[in-house]
Amino acid sequence: MSDSAARERDAAETESAFSHPAVPPDGSAAYGGHPDQVIDFYAPRGGRTGAPVVVLLHGGAWRAPYDRAHVSPFADFLARRGFAVASVEYRRGSELPQQRGSGPVAGRWPETFDDVAAAMDALPELLARELPSADGRRIVVTGHSAGGQLALWAAARHVLPEGSPWRLPRPPALRGVVALAPIADFASAAALDVCSGAVGQLLGPAEDFAGRSAYADPSRLLPTGIATVVVQGTTDLTVPVAVSEAFVDTAAKEGETVGLTLLPDVGHFPLIDPAADACAVVAEEIAQLAW
């Protein structure tokens, strides 16, 4: 396929994914005092009880213009497939003194990670209140793109360096992680200039990159012992397949098997587009871990 044809298909896939109207949640709850510290809850359609829980972390290069609204149709799609869904919002990039950029800055250090950790820690109590019929013992974390990095990170907090404020004393109680085209290997993502330098912006000044990577790069937080699957389109122009392959290869070197589901002729956004066949594949990968 020519470069122009690939770009045209990517544009069509993106348009399709963003064409769905936002789906309001069945309930929302704050996990902190900031307006972005909120979780939207989607109950499984049909009143199903004992449904497994999918924690959903949206993408958007950790940048402020992209919030959880764009994954609400995907959250609804999962709810229609019988899952209870907790869609997490978190603080994203803004113009901070240590993170200059000509456009929307990617991420906030340490607030982005503060929020994901706080949301995961608050989840059991909020689930019991907002979705009491769901099975909080069956939790799968999923995330798309930058949210895929956060999903992998949320499952790796027990292997964070000693002294990290986000470190857990034991592995989180998760059935697994399904990372969708994740920014899972910071070295390869930076080399490929994924999302116009988003990784460098997330970690801040160049002198902080190496030190902060040890606390944030999923490829440096292995092995986790948590069942993990990566779903990746082979024609993804936003987060190239090489990034996922680098993460999976690193996991193997660390003695951990990470599943890699490659979807031929699929780009970045069909993974979260309810109108795309790829979205059904994602739901099946989640179901395999949840049940």
Side-chain angles (χ1 to χ4, degrees):
M1 179 182 293
S2 67
D3 288 347
S4 61
R7 287 193 294 271
E8 286 178 8
R9 183 166 68 180
D10 179 73
E13 290 175 339
T14 303
E15 182 180 5
S16 175
F18 283 88
S19 67
H20 308 287
V23 180
D26 297 302
S28 298
Y31 63 87
H34 191 278
D36 286 336
Q37 293 174 322
V38 64
I39 301 175
D40 287 344
F41 292 95
Y42 295 80
R45 304 308 179 222
R48 180 178 186 172
T49 60
V53 178
V54 179
V55 179
L56 173 59
L57 292 153
H58 71 81
W62 311 284
R63 290 188 170 116
Y66 305 97
D67 61 16
R68 68 195 185 282
H70 80 273
V71 295
S72 64
F74 178 51
D76 178 66
F77 173 83
L78 293 175
R80 287 186 279 113
R81 298 291 288 250
F83 298 105
V85 181
S87 182
V88 178
E89 192 57 274
Y90 52 89
R91 282 174 286 181
R92 303 167 309 287
S94 62
E95 187 62 28
L96 300 176
Q98 72 271 28
Q99 293 175 305
R100 296 292 177 185
S102 58
V105 177
R108 294 174 62 164
W109 186 279
E111 291 92 344
T112 298
F113 298 93
D114 287 343
D115 288 359
V116 173
M120 295 301 296
D121 292 345
L123 188 63
E125 180 180 346
L126 296 181
L127 272 175
R129 189 177 76 205
E130 300 294 330
L131 293 177
S133 64
D135 187 352
R137 300 166 301 175
R138 297 179 181 272
I139 297 176
V140 175
V141 181
T142 192
H144 179 240
S145 196
Q149 177 271 329
L150 294 173
L152 294 167
W153 181 87
R157 289 170 59 201
H158 58 297
V159 297
L160 284 167
E162 294 283 353
S164 168
W166 308 306
R167 181 181 168 96
L168 293 176
R170 61 188 62 85
L174 302 175
R175 295 301 298 266
V177 182
V178 179
L180 313 177
I183 305 178
D185 181 88
F186 281 5
S188 60
L192 292 167
D193 195 32
V194 166
C195 298
S196 303
V199 169
Q201 294 173 9
L202 172 71
L203 298 181
E207 60 269 21
D208 290 331
F209 191 99
R212 290 178 174 178
S213 288
Y215 293 84
D217 182 354
S219 284
R220 297 183 64 179
L221 300 172
L222 291 165
T224 66
I226 304 287
T228 301
V229 175
V230 174
V231 182
Q232 174 76 48
T234 62
T235 55
D236 193 328
L237 300 182
T238 302
V239 182
V241 65
V243 178
S244 287
E245 290 175 336
F247 172 74
V248 172
D249 289 347
T250 300
K253 291 174 184 176
E254 295 296 332
E256 186 155 86
T257 300
V258 170
L260 176 60
T261 299
L262 294 176
L263 303 182
D265 301 321
V266 169
H268 193 62
F269 285 104
L271 304 179
I272 58 167
D273 181 358
D277 292 342
C279 204
V281 175
V282 169
E284 181 57 30
E285 294 285 1
I286 293 171
Q288 298 236 359
L289 291 177
W291 294 109

